[in-house]
Amino acid sequence: PAIVENGVATLTGIVTDPGAGDTFIVDINWGDGSGVQTSTLDASATGSQLFTQTHRYLDDNPTATASDSYTITATVTDDDTGTDSASTTVQVDNVAPMVALDGVTAIVENGVATLTGIVTDPGTEDTFTVDINWGDGSGVQTITLDASATGSQLFTQTHRYLDDNPTSTPSDSYTITATVTDDDTGTDSASTTVQV
């Protein structure tokens, strides 16, 4: 069945051989460049051997796709050099990142606001773009975050508010919005406010 990035795929199969004394080597290529996983099977008086193997897919590659399909190939070789292969596929789906923001301390005009937040994503190989709209018409500030083996990335950004607009008010509140997008098109947004 389909899994999500950083999820575990379970492959089950059966090896049949009339040579009830044969032993087997099963090589599994998971199709994601991680190499070949090898296991051995003892002889079976029934002429058939079930096997189950698992593999974690850290990401859905290539990037810029919401899901990707991997071809899994199992190659069995008996102790007399006989061999056979079979293939199946698994779909690995991207999981959208999540962004959370801390509150921002009130500042005075021409002061600097500090925004802190965290991006979480089970895809430990995902990279991120964070677009911050400070809410004062100054445009969007973009930062990039590298992949994190822990699945979470902290960020801190600052912005100077030159004035408390509109005029004729002793203070004004600005909505700050952070939008995160991972390298596989998943996205999330969060907002907080700052009083100037």
Side-chain angles (χ1 to χ4, degrees):
I3 61 170
V4 296
E5 59 186 354
N6 208 31
V8 174
T10 301
L11 176 70
T12 57
I14 187 168
V15 175
T16 57
D17 191 308
D22 282 354
T23 58
F24 307 94
I25 295 173
V26 180
D27 293 322
I28 302 172
N29 183 330
W30 295 97
D32 62 351
S34 61
V36 173
Q37 181 179 1
T38 299
S39 60
T40 58
L41 301 176
D42 294 331
S44 168
T46 64
S48 64
Q49 287 275 42
L50 292 172
F51 67 90
T52 300
Q53 292 294 328
T54 60
H55 179 71
R56 184 177 302 277
Y57 285 89
L58 298 179
D59 196 10
D60 65 311
N61 282 315
T63 58
T65 56
S67 66
D68 292 286
S69 181
Y70 295 88
T71 299
I72 304 169
T73 303
T75 302
V76 61
T77 305
D78 68 15
D79 57 3
D80 297 310
T81 71
T83 188
D84 189 34
S85 294
S87 296
T88 188
T89 59
V90 62
Q91 178 178 309
V92 181
D93 296 327
N94 183 55
V95 176
M98 295 177 56
V99 61
L101 304 176
D102 294 334
V104 179
T105 304
I107 60 171
V108 297
E109 60 185 355
N110 206 34
V112 174
T114 301
L115 175 69
T116 58
I118 187 169
V119 174
T120 56
D121 192 308
T124 56
E125 294 184 350
D126 282 354
T127 58
F128 308 94
T129 300
V130 182
D131 294 321
I132 302 171
N133 184 331
W134 295 98
D136 61 352
S138 60
V140 173
Q141 180 182 8
T142 300
I143 60 173
T144 57
L145 301 175
D146 294 329
S148 169
T150 64
S152 63
Q153 287 275 46
L154 294 171
F155 65 90
T156 300
Q157 290 297 306
T158 60
H159 178 71
R160 184 176 301 277
Y161 286 88
L162 300 178
D163 196 8
D164 65 314
N165 284 313
T167 58
S168 304
T169 56
S171 67
D172 293 286
S173 181
Y174 295 89
T175 299
I176 304 168
T177 302
T179 302
V180 61
T181 305
D182 69 17
D183 60 2
D184 294 308
T185 72
T187 188
D188 187 39
S189 294
S191 297
T192 188
T193 59
V194 59
Q195 181 177 316
V196 182

